Amino acid sequence: MKFHVLTLFPEIPRAFFESSIMAKAVDKGIIAYDLVNIRDFALDKHNTCDDSPYGGGAGMVMMTEPLVRALESVGVRSKKIGGKKTTGKSKKRVIYVTPSGKTLTQKLSYELSREEELIFICGRYEGIDQRVIDSYVDTEISIGDYVLSSGEVAATVIIDAVYRLIEGVITAESLQEESFSDGLLEYPQYTRPEVFNGIKVPDVLLSGHHENIRKWRLKKRLEKTLMVRPELITECRKNGTLTTEAEKMIEQILFSGD
Ligand code: ADE
């Protein structure tokens, strides 16, 4: 998988690509990346990349030319010319990170992890020209219902959610029981010491009884999900991913207060 990040501030995503598990994945050749400074594609001697919006209003808009030249430099071609679709189909998926996009979920992260190349456009100021979106962007993605000062952090969040799902980056076992893997939140974790701050590790986790541990963990996941994200339980029921065992536990949690 190759990530291309088109940005005015490459130092923000660079720190992420150069650290920890990502750096290892790059070393192993599982991930490749390319940080493209949009300013390098500006046309004037001041390297201008922003201009005022048509129609007036606060702030500036990213100029079309530097951005389009940056896109073309990584092999992206316009999907439309003069409003008409072009025939060129590309294997590269172009993502514009914006609060107006569809919200990132674990499901969308899995979908993106199956692409060969992802190209991220990081917006600054009031965003980018709509015609660049119409001509070059495949998917607009938001990381949540709040507004960040720029797209770099949001793009880095999406890249983090996606690259760890690629085979060989982390173990399949780690992915199996984490939050959202099957629509539920994660169970609580404990490590040494056995007693911390007067609180003892639950006995079942010290018992070595694998079946009881599995049941306890499932119950904790259901309790947590019911308490903080009840809509996820509704979603699981819709998708048919709640087992009969889980449904019985929910009944027990809700009606016995146990
Ligand atoms: N840029 C600014 N805020 C954002 C958000 N919430 N998601 C994606 N990109 C953004």
Side-chain angles (χ1 to χ4, degrees), residues 17-29:
F17 280 109
E18 289 179 355
S19 51
S20 186
I21 306 172
M22 175 57 103
K24 276 192 204 124
V26 172
D27 273 352
K28 282 196 229 165

Side-chain angles (χ1 to χ4, degrees), residues 153-201:
V153 172
T156 308
V157 167
I158 301 169
I159 292 165
D160 192 357
V162 170
Y163 94 100
R164 59 191 295 286
L165 303 176
I166 295 166
E167 211 184 313
V169 174
I170 56 176
T171 65
E173 205 187 6
S174 307
L175 295 177
Q176 235 164 39
E177 287 208 341
E178 67 182 12
S179 293
F180 305 114
S181 60
D182 57 3
L184 297 175
L185 302 183
E186 212 173 335
Y187 52 77
Q189 298 281 9
Y190 297 86
T191 185
R192 277 178 291 195
E194 216 176 292
V195 180
F196 167 72
N197 212 19
I199 308 165
K200 196 174 174 299
V201 171

Side-chain angles (χ1 to χ4, degrees), residues 14-64:
R14 180 171 294 121
F16 178 72
F17 280 109
E18 289 179 355
S19 51
S20 186
I21 306 172
M22 175 57 103
K24 276 192 204 124
V26 172
D27 273 352
K28 282 196 229 165
I30 303 170
I31 304 290
Y33 71 98
D34 172 20
L35 302 173
V36 180
N37 192 335
I38 299 166
R39 209 169 286 286
D40 293 342
F41 295 89
L43 294 172
D44 66 349
K45 65 175 192 247
H46 303 292
N47 295 331
T48 311
C49 285
D50 60 330
D51 204 344
S52 46
Y54 275 116
M60 302 292 271
V61 176
M62 281 172 74
M63 289 168 67
T64 55

Side-chain angles (χ1 to χ4, degrees), residues 11 16 39 52 82 89 92 103 142 147 160 176 181 185 194 209 234 239 247 251-252:
E11 60 277 16
F16 178 72
R39 209 169 286 286
S52 46
K89 259 233 148 226
K92 303 164 197 278
T103 312
S142 163
V147 179
D160 192 357
Q176 235 164 39
S181 60
L185 302 183
E194 216 176 292
H209 193 301
T234 314
N239 301 335
E247 287 288 10
E251 224 170 283
Q252 203 188 355

Side-chain angles (χ1 to χ4, degrees), residues 96-102 121 123 141-155 158:
Y96 173 44
V97 286
T98 165
S100 326
K102 63 170 155 182
I121 301 174
I141 301 179
S142 163
I143 61 162
D145 290 342
Y146 43 81
V147 179
L148 305 173
S149 52
S150 74
E152 283 77 11
V153 172
I158 301 169

